[in-house]
Amino acid sequence: MSTIQNLNAFDPFADTGDSEAQPTNYIHIRIQQRNGRKTLTTVQGLPAEYDLKKILKVLKKDFACNGNIVKDEELGEVIQLQGDQRVKVSEFLTSSLQLPKKNIKIHGF
Amino acid sequence: MSDLGFDPTLKKKKKSKKVEGDLTAESSAAGSPAPAGELDDMFSGLKKKKKSKKTAEEGASSSAAGSPAPEGAADDLSASFGDLGLKKKKKKSTKSSDVTDFEQQLEKAGIEEGDATAEGVDAEESSPASEDHAGNGSSSAGVLSYPSLLSRFFTILKQNNPELAGDRSGPKFRIPPPVCQREGSKKTLFANVQEIAVVLQRSPEHLIQFLFAELGTSGSIDGEKRLILKGKFQPKQMESVLRRYIIEYVTCKTCKSMNTELKRESANRLHFLSCKACGSTRSVSSIKTGFQAQIGRRKKA
Ligand SMILES: [Zn+2]
């Protein structure tokens, strides 16, 4: 009678991983409209252990756009990129930096 | 079934095979059925226990729910199973057929169930029990097929509780498409914010705050309570933002209902979403604008 559920190694109440506990260290990717058709992408909340300067250098080259780093008093260093690079940045963060996708939040339309 | 549950049967089969092999050396014709029968007996023991447990549970639920008609038939069945145990054992010893006891039980159950339906005066009440057993794979002539019962269930559900039947087309859940007009060359007029906020049962201020944060812009409300946003936005874009708002701040994660309420707990200053359909509550994050890049003229003194 090993079909008794209590004897199984599998715990049905175990943490499944995708719990409600949300990470507080979200990476926010936002878009802002500038004059005309121009837009601006901001990446906020990148982990401090990364060298933002090096990331920016790669991003600028990969996306063929200009960009810069802005220091915010509360939110730390933020990467700004010209144009709508939200999807591309998200892809870069997940594939190259191995960041979990659930930590990235893309805002905007 | 789990791996644990399956392992012993494998071992047993190996054992029986070994026995078989030994026996075949002596007499292949008579040797093989005996271990098989043993095996079947073991399985029947397991299954019978399960079955009786099930029926016992059903009986308990019937006493709790107070609807004796359908479960009464099940009780009859369980009683008949007790008799069946003896009959089947006799059969086993005489026949030692390949058919498992469980199948035999089911067959008997099918007959029994047919009797029950014949006896049952209320066709409507006896039908669930008979359907339950017919669904187990018995070959009895079930009058009510599963699809017909399923459709019947859904028609009743739709009549009495359309929201649970997945019908979201009611007037309460019809969200009007966002109406966006160009206001000059740089601004967008979002005409029906007020209406949408009312349908979603949210305060317009909350919705507007979310729109500003998501779109990374600012704006104002005109005399007719329409929203004027800085920047150009298509209705389609507004729709996607609204959809995100609804997922975050309107729908219940438990039952997917949009009939919810957003309350602010004054004690801990957190927003809580409570569902009016199922009663569940979850906390929602407050709207954060986050980093806003400086756009346009730089303030250089
Ligand atoms: Zn709910």
Side-chain angles (χ1 to χ4, degrees), chain B residues 106-120:
Chain B
L106 272 175
E107 265 175 48
K108 290 275 172 183
I111 293 158
E112 193 69 31
E113 162 231 300
D115 289 346
T117 42
E119 280 170 14

Side-chain angles (χ1 to χ4, degrees), chain A residues 15-74:
Chain A
D15 206 332
T16 48
D18 49 14
S19 61
E20 294 295 297
Q22 292 174 339
T24 46
N25 50 346
Y26 272 123
I27 297 163
H28 297 274
I29 304 174
R30 293 196 179 80
I31 187 160
Q32 278 177 269
Q33 284 192 352
R34 288 169 63 222
N35 38 6
R37 274 168 42 81
K38 294 190 177 83
T39 49
L40 192 78
T41 305
T42 62
V43 186
Q44 172 206 319
L46 279 169
E49 59 260 33
Y50 291 111
D51 189 345
L52 287 203
K53 266 187 190 168
K54 277 182 184 164
I55 291 175
L56 180 68
K57 213 170 187 179
V58 177
L59 290 182
K60 277 165 75 171
K61 201 178 180 194
D62 282 7
F63 308 154
C65 68
N66 202 0
N68 58 320
I69 294 168
V70 179
K71 284 192 185 73
D72 191 275
E73 280 159 25
E74 290 166 38

